[in-house]
Amino acid sequence: MLWRGARRRCPHCGRGPLFVRWIRFHPSCAACGLVFLRNQGDTWLFWIVMDRIPILAGIAAIYFGFRITGWLSGALFFLAIAGPLILTMPQRQGVALALSYLSRVWFRDPSDVIPPFDADPD
């Protein structure tokens, strides 16, 4: 399920796309009908965790002795942290949605409609 999310596909069936554009979710999967965001804000916890992982690399670099000595090293350090954050945003948001879906499957709510499982396309 996480690999499907990282590929920006439906975590349930793996066929339908997650996004209308760069990081705007479709309301539901075109292939299986899964509603991606049952309640607005369901992915916040997972999104915050996925967002902090790349920042941890910058914190570790500073902790282990990296020092910004001028504007050029500061700009390069900023680009080294901000670049991966921006470039991997759709994949991280897809994994966050897959984690949210996984929590919906593990901790079932009777009112949550999850389509039946088909054969695994992966």
Side-chain angles (χ1 to χ4, degrees):
M1 287 182 211
L2 298 179
W3 177 243
R4 293 174 185 168
R7 289 186 342 207
R8 301 177 310 238
R9 295 286 174 198
C10 173
H12 181 73
C13 69
R15 293 185 298 258
L18 284 180
F19 300 107
V20 176
R21 292 191 202 154
W22 192 51
I23 58 169
R24 186 171 157 228
F25 285 117
H26 282 286
S28 63
C29 177
C32 69
L34 175 73
V35 175
F36 292 136
L37 292 175
R38 183 171 173 239
N39 298 313
Q40 192 64 25
D42 278 350
T43 61
W44 270 102
L45 170 71
F46 305 110
W47 176 244
I48 289 172
V49 170
M50 295 301 297
D51 197 39
R52 297 312 182 256
I53 291 171
I55 293 173
L56 183 63
I59 293 170
I62 291 172
Y63 178 78
F64 288 113
F66 177 77
R67 297 288 177 252
I68 297 174
T69 56
W71 70 270
L72 183 60
S73 64
L76 289 174
F77 182 71
F78 175 77
L79 289 176
I81 298 300
L85 278 174
I86 293 169
L87 294 175
T88 63
M89 194 175 292
Q91 289 81 11
R92 289 183 295 118
Q93 193 166 7
V95 170
L97 183 85
L99 286 169
S100 174
Y101 169 73
L102 195 59
S103 73
R104 288 169 58 189
V105 169
W106 283 351
F107 308 108
R108 291 281 299 170
D109 180 1
S111 66
D112 188 8
V113 179
I114 295 178
F117 286 100
D118 291 338
D120 190 18
D122 294 336

